[in-house]
Amino acid sequence: MNQILKNALLPAMVLAISSGAYAAGEHGGHHGGEAVGEPGKAENVSRTIDVTMMDNYYEPESIAVEPGETIRFRVKNEGALVHEFNIGTADMHEAHQKEMQMMVEHGVLKGDRIDHEMMEMDMGDGHSMKHDDPNSVLMEPGESKEIIWTFTEAADLEFACNVPGHYQAGMYGDIEFE
Amino acid sequence: MKKSILMVLLAGLAFSAANAGEYDISVDRVQIDTGDFNKEGIGYNGASPGPILRFKEGEQVTINVTNNLDEMTSIHWHGLILPFEQDGVPGISFPGIKPGETFTYQFPIVQAGTYWFHSHSGFQEPNGAYGAIVIEPEGREPFRYDREYVVQLTDKHPHSGDRIMRNLKMSADYYNRQQQTVGDFFAESGEKGFMATLKDRMMWGDMRMMKADIEDVQGFTGLINGKGPEQNWTGTFEEGDRIRLRFINSSAMTYFDIRIPGLEMTVVQADGNNVQPVNVDEFRIGVAETYDVIVHIKDKEAYTIFAESMGRSGFARGTLAPEKGMTAEVPELREAPLLTMADMAGHMEHGGMDHGNMNHDDMAGMDHSDMGGNAEMDHSAMGHGSMGQGEGETLPEDPFYAKGSGLMPTASNGGKFLSYADLKAQNPLYEDREPTREIELRLTGNMERYEWSINGTKYEDADPIVLQYGERVRFKFVNETMMTHPMHLHGMWSILDVGEGKWNPLKHVISVAPATTVYMETEVDAPGEWAFHCHLSYHAASGMFRKIVVEGGPDSAVAEGKQSEHQGDES
């Protein structure tokens, strides 16, 4: 009986959490050119937030921060595929998705692993497909990484996985300013 | 927030229903209005298409099917994994449902995703007997969306299935409106040279096939959820919504190329199984396949769902709009593709059809290297299609089409067209392992007599394919015909070999293009007797069909016990 009740309740509770995220998910993009924040210093960290990456979604799907706050994100990839945790605006994510698409086309990203050698390769003019932006970590299954980030001011931000198709399928979360 | 609490309460109250559901379906004579014509057909619960059945993974379903027709009927739960005697194929799983009788299906729902159901008796399915199945997963979906719609396509024909079959038997090109004319011949001679054209034509004459023969039943009206293009099925949304569209191709004979101009689609599921998401501009849906896509609409505009048939002889159209009544531009049909010599190659190499008048000299000029090298001929044929002026070297290739095939699809906006090669399982169901053996199935036919077969033998003359419980069989499909065949195995998953090992996707329909060889593997994990056939209605009915017998099982005594238990329930 308990088991049955639990089975019935579980999806409803998931729905309750995610519908909260939807309500906040009105990305008007009207702020334009807003500050996404900057890499933070360890001594300024006020809180640590654990983020788990699954195939293809985050837990949690919404994070509340205060303007000026510095947060340590402890991100773990518990999925079977490569995932990214990237802090930015919807437009930034869209632009980054094109780069990630290129990484897939060049065989750097292979579903469940990253070809690091290929990623470092010089593509000419000093360009490479190195994935080293401070607002982002890219991880193979089982990996854990950290980002320390200072949210300088309130902005329309999302955390997102820009591996091709993942963002569109729903692998994004909202950063809400309190 | 209030809404969420309510949902929790409702879910709590409904827990008993979530684990055992009972459903009633009546099979009825219905009127079908396509906007182009009105026709009597067969439907479920008084309508065609029938209802959307919404199940929950883990649920034990009881479905009472009452036959209100004056002929036998059946319902097959397409893509569902279930005990074989619940599979609904008359003569294989059960005797069928007599007029006036109610048959009770009972089975557990052991999967999630988008599926469909249809009659497996005669031509009741092309006549309208189909509906959708949506199964909610036990856990959360691995993607997010704000709303969802079933988009069920069909190719409704003004003629009844029986009449179409009779006409095809009488003349295989009865419904082929795109036969080339004498005028075409001279136009083509101007482009290609007289001798090349003559040679080309003589070969096609020898094949007893028309070069335009991509769709052998033309003259249909494409429907979306039962609505013709003018009736314009419309799904509404709010600005910013992510919408999950569950495309189901319930056509008798027609493949569709689907796009929503202005929107990128992210394919997240194929044949009910989640795939690693792929962003595409367009995709081709074979007969009986399903694809789930997510679109994100950021404005308040209307968007057309445009589904052109593969041979461009018809289309289905619907709309996504902020409110009903809003419409967007409906694109023109692109020009019909033409089969090329490449599409004949499998046929020529294997000589699968009956061609008494085709001597060896004809064949000599047509070996594979000649075809591969003769880019000019392939190219000119493709120039008539959607590919425009593209150069041979820059044409995209897809391993699931013959090199130089006239059927090779391209996106109308020059963007990404989904290939089978893009499909990778999101969460593989089976451990990858070496197959225990390989079974070759040549897809064969005699177009002139409209006979379709496997390994040259029609269903009625063939022995069943016997598999052993616990083996992993590799099926090798060799398409020796010039038509595309969507091969459907009942009861067990078809693991499509896209060259990705453990990530190869699970499907229930494997489309095999002309002159190609496609492999799929099956974990033989379902005892009993199953159907295995081409899902083009008139190909299945004329012999491209096999019975599969799975010998052995985890515990045959238990399986028999189950069967008698069900029989007890019916009485």
Side-chain angles (χ1 to χ4, degrees):
Chain A
M1 181 61 187
N2 274 343
Q3 189 57 41
I4 292 168
L5 194 61
K6 206 175 121 202
N7 283 347
L9 281 175
L10 186 65
M13 281 161 64
V14 168
L15 195 71
I17 293 161
S18 56
S19 67
Y22 292 151
E26 299 293 325
H27 308 291
H30 41 271
H31 293 297
E34 64 221 321
V36 296
E38 58 194 28
K41 294 193 179 76
E43 62 263 33
N44 296 334
V45 168
S46 60
R47 276 192 298 153
T48 296
I49 296 178
D50 287 303
V51 177
T52 307
M53 307 202 290
M54 309 295 286
D55 300 326
N56 300 317
Y57 56 92
Y58 293 103
E59 284 173 356
E61 289 186 324
S62 177
I63 292 169
V65 300
E66 284 172 28
E69 200 177 8
T70 297
I71 290 175
R72 180 196 309 272
F73 290 99
R74 219 159 41 191
V75 188
K76 184 162 200 310
N77 183 357
E78 290 192 358
L81 305 171
V82 170
H83 293 298
E84 186 197 30
F85 177 83
N86 185 321
I87 298 165
T89 62
D91 288 346
M92 287 168 66
H93 292 313
E94 201 175 322
H96 187 42
Q97 280 155 28
K98 295 195 178 97
E99 296 168 3
M100 299 279 269
Q101 180 65 44
M102 200 170 85
M103 291 171 75
V104 170
E105 281 161 13
H106 287 80
V108 175
L109 268 186
K110 291 189 160 86
D112 58 345
R113 61 197 166 85
I114 303 162
D115 189 330
H116 290 278
E117 207 171 296
M118 182 105 66
M119 193 155 76
E120 307 280 321
M121 213 169 62
D122 188 0
M123 310 264 297
D125 298 333
H127 292 297
S128 78
M129 282 187 279
K130 228 152 107 181
H131 193 274
D132 55 1
D133 299 325
N135 61 332
S136 158
V137 282
L138 184 65
M139 284 176 267
E140 290 183 349
E143 281 191 290
S144 290
K145 285 185 182 172
E146 285 189 358
I147 290 186
I148 297 175
W149 194 256
T150 302
F151 294 91
T152 46
E153 55 183 285
D156 261 350
L157 299 182
E158 296 171 335
F159 53 98
C161 172
N162 294 305
V163 171
H166 291 200
Y167 179 87
Q168 287 79 0
M171 192 160 182
Y172 61 91
D174 293 297
I175 297 173
E176 292 168 50
F177 284 86
E178 292 178 331
Chain B
M1 194 60 196
K2 271 180 199 160
K3 208 173 182 180
S4 306
I5 292 167
L6 186 66
M7 298 287 286
V8 171
L9 287 175
L10 280 176
L13 290 171
F15 71 89
S16 56
N19 283 274
E22 188 156 349
Y23 306 83
D24 296 319
I25 295 178
S26 61
V27 189
D28 307 307
R29 294 252 163 233
V30 298
Q31 278 302 121
I32 297 171
D33 173 13
T34 68
D36 289 340
F37 58 88
N38 236 296
K39 172 145 191 57
E40 186 177 90
I42 295 171
Y44 295 121
N45 294 352
S48 171
I52 298 173
L53 296 177
R54 290 187 183 270
F55 301 145
K56 172 97 207 252
E57 187 179 4
E59 177 182 349
Q60 178 74 33
V61 299
T62 301
I63 310 170
N64 307 306
V65 178
T66 300
N67 182 2
N68 293 334
L69 308 177
D70 53 10
E71 63 190 49
M72 296 284 282
T73 194
S74 58
I75 293 183
H76 166 59
W77 317 99
H78 185 111
L80 265 54
I81 300 301
L82 36 63
F84 82 94
E85 63 277 13
Q86 303 297 311
D87 195 47
V89 181
I92 295 182
S93 359
F94 77 146
I97 310 170
K98 287 182 192 148
E101 284 192 357
T102 297
F103 181 84
T104 299
Y105 289 89
Q106 277 190 311
F107 51 89
I109 300 294
V110 299
Q111 64 206 105
T114 303
Y115 302 90
W116 62 298
F117 63 98
H118 59 83
S119 168
H120 224 284
S121 300
F123 298 110
Q124 291 173 358
E125 181 217 302
N127 290 348
Y130 65 94
I133 298 174
V134 170
I135 308 174
E136 184 192 337
E138 233 162 359
R140 64 156 283 169
E141 298 273 16
F143 27 81
R144 289 162 72 180
Y145 51 90
D146 303 290
R147 63 181 74 214
E148 60 161 278
Y149 291 108
V150 165
V151 182
Q152 195 164 18
L153 296 145
T154 198
D155 52 352
K156 189 64 206 156
H157 204 280
H159 293 178
S160 73
D162 284 327
R163 184 168 166 197
I164 291 171
M165 188 79 256
R166 272 199 310 276
N167 287 336
L168 288 170
K169 282 284 184 191
M170 206 163 62
S171 161
D173 57 7
Y174 190 95
Y175 293 103
N176 184 347
R177 293 174 170 180
Q178 289 176 346
Q179 293 179 32
Q180 291 186 305
T181 62
V182 176
D184 287 340
F185 178 85
F186 286 111
E188 212 174 325
S189 299
E191 287 166 29
K192 283 203 274 197
F194 180 75
M195 286 314 289
T197 306
L198 186 63
K199 188 180 164 206
D200 190 14
R201 288 306 176 92
M202 284 173 69
M203 283 169 183
W204 284 102
D206 279 346
M207 311 307 315
R208 302 271 184 258
M209 279 196 76
M210 300 300 148
K211 197 171 176 177
D213 213 347
I214 292 163
E215 288 166 350
D216 50 12
V217 183
Q218 300 171 20
F220 57 86
T221 296
L223 306 184
I224 287 180
N225 298 337
K227 306 275 189 214
E230 290 308 312
Q231 297 165 330
N232 189 28
W233 174 85
T234 299
T236 57
F237 64 86
E238 280 173 30
E239 183 180 0
D241 274 356
R242 286 175 163 84
I243 309 167
R244 176 185 190 168
L245 300 171
R246 300 173 182 267
F247 286 97
I248 305 169
N249 188 357
S250 300
S251 293
M253 296 298 281
T254 306
Y255 280 53
F256 287 101
D257 292 345
I258 297 174
R259 66 186 197 266
I260 308 176
L263 293 181
E264 185 179 61
M265 300 179 279
T266 302
V267 178
V268 296
Q269 196 179 89
D271 289 4
N273 293 287
N274 293 332
V275 294
Q276 295 177 30
V278 196
N279 299 325
V280 302
D281 295 285
E282 194 168 341
F283 66 96
R284 174 167 290 174
I285 187 167
V287 169
E289 287 185 318
T290 75
Y291 287 96
D292 286 36
V293 310
I294 293 175
V295 295
H296 185 192
I297 309 189
K298 298 170 187 165
D299 56 24
K300 292 180 177 173
E301 301 295 318
Y303 293 90
T304 296
I305 300 172
F306 193 58
E308 283 172 290
S309 73
M310 178 164 71
R312 308 290 183 247
S313 72
F315 68 98
R317 170 251 189 160
T319 301
L320 296 174
E323 50 190 277
K324 299 232 179 207
M326 279 180 75
T327 58
E329 191 192 339
V330 180
E332 294 284 311
L333 277 175
R334 284 171 286 182
E335 266 196 72
L338 291 173
L339 293 174
T340 65
M341 302 309 261
D343 296 307
M344 292 170 61
H347 182 96
M348 299 304 291
E349 271 177 15
H350 300 274
M353 280 189 172
D354 254 5
H355 288 295
N357 59 349
M358 212 166 77
N359 65 36
H360 216 72
D361 293 338
D362 286 341
M363 308 269 295
M366 287 216 45
D367 64 302
H368 209 67
S369 57
D370 184 32
M371 263 171 257
N374 200 343
E376 193 182 65
M377 189 177 290
D378 293 347
H379 188 192
S380 60
M382 294 179 104
H384 294 293
S386 56
M387 312 211 45
Q389 67 293 340
E391 289 302 313
E393 312 86 64
T394 61
L395 289 176
E397 274 182 32
D398 183 326
F400 288 92
Y401 292 90
K403 197 172 188 290
S405 168
L407 292 173
M408 172 64 206
T410 54
S412 77
N413 66 352
K416 169 72 183 166
F417 200 109
L418 182 75
S419 162
Y420 265 5
D422 297 317
L423 299 177
K424 297 180 194 96
Q426 164 90 2
N427 186 11
L429 182 64
Y430 298 104
E431 291 278 313
D432 191 33
R433 61 164 176 150
E434 284 296 308
T436 45
R437 62 174 165 141
E438 181 175 297
I439 296 177
E440 182 173 292
L441 299 174
R442 292 178 298 110
L443 309 180
T444 47
N446 182 322
M447 188 68 184
E448 197 178 356
R449 293 203 292 265
Y450 208 81
E451 284 175 356
W452 298 95
S453 51
I454 292 172
N455 293 338
T457 308
K458 290 191 293 180
Y459 180 45
E460 61 204 70
D461 303 327
D463 293 328
I465 297 170
V466 179
L467 307 179
Q468 301 303 318
Y469 182 88
E471 66 176 337
R472 181 179 175 119
V473 177
R474 185 169 173 84
F475 288 99
K476 178 185 186 184
F477 293 115
V478 182
N479 189 348
E480 298 182 359
T481 76
M482 281 164 280
M483 295 207 69
T484 309
H485 302 287
M487 300 304 295
H488 173 46
L489 171 63
H490 290 222
M492 291 166 280
W493 289 113
S494 298
I495 307 168
L496 172 64
D497 187 351
V498 299
E500 293 287 336
K502 68 172 177 175
W503 301 109
N504 283 340
L506 292 190
K507 294 189 89 272
H508 49 60
V509 170
I510 305 289
S511 178
V512 188
T516 63
T517 297
V518 175
Y519 295 90
M520 73 169 201
E521 293 181 10
T522 293
E523 288 284 353
V524 181
D525 56 3
E529 303 196 345
W530 304 98
F532 187 18
H533 59 95
C534 174
H535 217 286
L536 301 180
S537 297
Y538 307 102
H539 290 194
S542 46
M544 198 176 264
F545 199 117
R546 280 292 184 278
K547 180 158 94 172
I548 299 263
V549 176
V550 176
E551 289 184 345
D555 185 345
S556 342
V558 170
E560 278 164 31
K562 256 190 202 163
Q563 199 173 355
S564 55
E565 189 184 299
H566 286 306
Q567 281 162 358
D569 286 345
E570 280 156 44
S571 57

